[in-house]
Structures are given as structure tokens and as C-alpha cells.
């Protein structure tokens, strides 16, 4: 027997049917004695692998150390799940004097809008930065978020930086396979006058991206149980994300409409200035400023 869905009182009832008379306390004692405790399922089984997985992890480890030693910024980037705005149920509980009432169905058509939290986590400074988009999670949105982080935070704390290292997943708006992201990234590098180096995590390893375990769980905790009535409410909640270890958070709203289904320029692949590494080029490349 590996698990049971029966509660102690239900186990007592089943034992009574078999002629055993015991109390719930005895059942709880025996469960604990035999190491039966309540556990949640854990997402630890890797669904796939890649032959270059370890090589890329070693490469990322070396890149991080080189950038930190040189005083250049290392940031982790990712997007949290889109949230509907309105009177919708959200997980979590709060201390209140009355019950919190929400809609009995989460129909998107009843929403007053949506919010897309795009995040950056500064590994050296232990700080988080969230851009709240109100349109779509596109490569242009990801790069605009990067631009906002640099002009509001990055350049202030890294005024002498020559290059920026971004650690990110291989899918979504910053997909390693999509040239539209590389085109938008190049435009951002030109606008900032800064070299931007990208290092993608291999497939099925997104949980190792630092932002996933150092920042996003605390953002989720700060928002638990609160109804997202407006994007300003979300901003206020996420802004208070902090930890006893010194994590702080800055939030910026980016109220811009983004077009979906964009294509990269017809000649971009032939003339693009993106520089791919000789080692694992599909996951490692640089956008060098042309300005």
C-alpha cells in the first residue's frame, strides 16, 4: 500500500467492520509510525531530455561567473501566467471580516481586461522587476520590458556595463527558434547602445531558470487570495513582494497594444548582425549594438 485517500475516521469505520475497535488517535499514531504523512505530488519527473543538456548548463555556469567577475549584469527573464481582471476567484486565503464574493464562473468574456506579468531577476542584487502588460505576450513586449528594466534600473546600478547576460527559457515570447525575437532583440540592443547576450536553458529545464525559484514564488505569495479588480491593484500587490533575505521588487505598467502574428523582415536572416557562439549556437548568441 503506497497511499490512501481515507481519513482517520474512515479508517476507523473500516476497521470496525472487520472487528477491530480502535480510536482515531491510534490510527493517526500508526500512520505516523509507518511514515504515512500527507504529501502533495511533486513535479520532478523530467518529460524529456537533450544530448547537449549538461553542456549548456556548464556553459551557463561559466558565463554567469565571467559576467559577475567583470561587473556586468546577469538577469533571469520569464513571463508569469496571464491573469484576468475582474471579480474572479483566486487561490489563497486572507484575514477578513466578511466573505470575499467572486463570480461563480471564470468566463474571459466577463473580464474587464487582462494583465501579463513579465519579470526580470537580478542575480547579483537580489532584486526583481515586473512589467505589467495589458495586451499580448509577444517578442516585442518582452524586448520593451527589457528596455524598461535597463533605463529604470540597469543603467543606474551598472553604469559601466559593456554587456548584459540574459538567462531565459527556450520557448514563449523569447523562443530560441524564432527570428522575430532576435530581430526585436537587435533593435533593443541598438536603442540601448549595449551588447545583449542570450543564454537559453535546454528543453524541459525551465525550472532551473533562477527567476522561477528565487522570485516568482514570492510574487505568487504576495498576491494570494486577493481579487485582481484592476491593473493598479496588481501593481500594488506585486510591489510589496519581499523576503527576509533582502529581495525587493519594482513594478512598471506598460499599457501598449501589441500585434500578434508578426513576421520578421524578409531579408533579416541574410543580413542580421546577431553573432552566434561557436559552442551550442542555437542557445547562445549576442545582439551587438550597431549604433
Amino acid at each position: 500500500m503506497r497511499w490512501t485517500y481515507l481519513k482517520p475516521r474512515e479508517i476507523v469505520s473500516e476497521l470496525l467492520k472487520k472487528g477491530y475497535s480502535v480510536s482515531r488517535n491510534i490510527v493517526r499514531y500508526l500512520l505516523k509510525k509507518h511514515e504515512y504523512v500527507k504529501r502533495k505530488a511533486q513535479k520532478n519527473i523530467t518529460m524529456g531530455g537533450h544530448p547537449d543538456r549538461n553542456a549548456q548548463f556548464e556553459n551557463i555556469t561559466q558565463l554567469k561567473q565571467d559576467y559577475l567577475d567583470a561587473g556586468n549584469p546577469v538577469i533571469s527573464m520569464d513571463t508569469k501566467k496571464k491573469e484576468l481582471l475582474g471579480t474572479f476567484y483566486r487561490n489563497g486565503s486572507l484575514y477578513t471580516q466578511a466573505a470575499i464574493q467572486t463570480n461563480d464562473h471564470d468566463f474571459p468574456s466577463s473580464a474587464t481586461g487582462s494583465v501579463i506579468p513579465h519579470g526580470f531577476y537580478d542575480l547579483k542584487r537580489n532584486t526583481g522587476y515586473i512589467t505589467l502588460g495589458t495586451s499580448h505576450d509577444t517578442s516585442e513586449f518582452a524586448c520593451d520590458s527589457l528596455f524598461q528594466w535597463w533605463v529604470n534600473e540597469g543603467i543606474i546600478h551598472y553604469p559601466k556595463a559593456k554587456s548584459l547576460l540574459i538567462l531565459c527559457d527556450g520557448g514563449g515570447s523569447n523562443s530560441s527558434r524564432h527570428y522575430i525575437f532576435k530581430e526585436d532583440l537587435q533593435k533593443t540592443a541598438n536603442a540601448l547602445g549595449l551588447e545583449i547576450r542570450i543564454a537559453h536553458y535546454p528543453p524541459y529545464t525551465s525550472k532551473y531558470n533562477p527567476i522561477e525559484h528565487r522570485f516568482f514564488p514570492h510574487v505568487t505569495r504576495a498576491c494570494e487570495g486577493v481579487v485582481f479588480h484592476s491593473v493598479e491593484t496588481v501593481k500594488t500587490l506585486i510591489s510589496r513582494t519581499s523576503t527576509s533575505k533582502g529581495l525587493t521588487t519594482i513594478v512598471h505598467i506598460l499599457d501598449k497594444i501589441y500585434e500578434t502574428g508578426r513576421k520578421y523582415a524578409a531579408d533579416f536572416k541574410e543580413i542580421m548582425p546577431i553573432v552566434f557562439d561557436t559552442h551550442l549556437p542555437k542557445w547562445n548568441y549576442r545582439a551587438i549594438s550597431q549604433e
Side-chain angles (χ1 to χ4, degrees), residues 25 32 56 64 101 115 141 143 156 210 223 268-269 274:
N25 287 338
K32 185 176 181 180
Q56 178 63 354
K64 284 195 297 185
Q101 303 293 336
V115 61
F141 170 58
C143 290
I156 296 173
C223 299
F268 177 72
K269 290 179 68 173
I274 297 290

Side-chain angles (χ1 to χ4, degrees), residues 111-170:
T112 57
S114 62
V115 61
I116 304 166
H118 188 280
F120 295 97
Y121 175 72
D122 187 327
L123 274 67
K124 180 179 181 180
R125 299 182 56 250
N126 190 29
T127 59
Y129 187 93
I130 293 281
T131 300
L132 297 177
T134 57
S135 179
H136 300 285
D137 183 21
T138 66
S139 62
E140 186 181 8
F141 170 58
C143 290
D144 282 352
S145 300
L146 172 60
F147 183 89
Q148 292 294 332
W149 173 82
W150 179 255
V151 298
N152 292 319
E153 285 289 301
I155 196 171
I156 296 173
H157 301 287
Y158 301 97
K160 298 181 180 180
K162 301 299 182 183
S163 183
L164 164 67
L165 173 61
I166 300 179
L167 310 177
C168 57
D169 301 341

Side-chain angles (χ1 to χ4, degrees), residues 52-101:
D52 295 324
R53 170 186 168 126
N54 288 341
Q56 178 63 354
F57 270 97
E58 292 172 357
N59 183 55
I60 288 175
T61 298
Q62 187 61 54
L63 283 173
K64 284 195 297 185
Q65 194 58 55
D66 291 344
Y67 269 69
L68 291 173
D69 289 345
N72 287 321
V74 179
I75 61 174
S76 174
M77 175 175 76
D78 200 6
T79 307
K80 281 181 67 65
K81 180 177 70 73
K82 179 171 72 172
E83 300 278 359
L84 296 176
L85 298 177
T87 314
F88 298 105
Y89 172 83
R90 300 192 66 259
N91 286 326
S93 57
L94 303 169
Y95 284 105
T96 66
Q97 292 182 318
I100 301 173
Q101 303 293 336

Side-chain angles (χ1 to χ4, degrees), residues 9 14 64 70 191 218 247 249 272:
R9 63 178 175 80
E14 291 297 318
K64 284 195 297 185
H218 305 297
L247 174 68
T249 305
M272 66 176 177

Side-chain angles (χ1 to χ4, degrees), residues 118-283:
H118 188 280
F120 295 97
Y121 175 72
D122 187 327
L123 274 67
K124 180 179 181 180
R125 299 182 56 250
N126 190 29
T127 59
Y129 187 93
I130 293 281
T131 300
L132 297 177
T134 57
S135 179
H136 300 285
D137 183 21
T138 66
S139 62
E140 186 181 8
F141 170 58
C143 290
D144 282 352
S145 300
L146 172 60
F147 183 89
Q148 292 294 332
W149 173 82
W150 179 255
V151 298
N152 292 319
E153 285 289 301
I155 196 171
I156 296 173
H157 301 287
Y158 301 97
K160 298 181 180 180
K162 301 299 182 183
S163 183
L164 164 67
L165 173 61
I166 300 179
L167 310 177
C168 57
D169 301 341
S173 58
N174 50 248
S175 174
S176 61
R177 297 166 297 169
H178 295 168
Y179 280 92
I180 186 64
F181 171 64
K182 295 176 176 65
E183 184 178 40
D184 289 336
L185 186 72
Q186 184 62 56
K187 293 177 182 177
T188 304
N190 293 342
L192 297 177
L194 180 73
E195 177 186 276
I196 303 174
R197 172 180 278 279
I198 298 291
H200 292 281
Y201 280 90
Y204 306 105
T205 63
S206 60
K207 68 177 182 179
Y208 294 102
N209 195 355
I211 196 172
E212 292 287 352
H213 51 271
R214 296 188 189 179
F215 183 42
F216 278 171
H218 305 297
V219 173
T220 299
R221 175 176 49 82
C223 299
E224 282 184 337
V226 183
V227 177
F228 286 172
H229 288 292
S230 66
V231 67
E232 287 76 18
T233 300
V234 181
K235 178 180 179 181
T236 300
L237 292 169
I238 295 181
S239 295
R240 68 182 186 180
T241 302
S242 61
T243 67
S244 59
K245 299 296 184 180
L247 174 68
T248 57
T249 305
I250 295 174
V251 185
H252 174 82
I253 297 175
L254 188 56
D255 193 8
K256 177 181 175 181
I257 303 300
Y258 290 97
E259 176 188 353
T260 58
R262 290 172 54 239
K263 304 294 184 181
Y264 58 86
D267 60 346
F268 177 72
K269 290 179 68 173
E270 288 71 28
I271 65 172
M272 66 176 177
I274 297 290
V275 178
F276 291 88
D277 290 8
T278 55
H279 180 57
L280 301 176
K282 58 190 173 185
W283 294 330

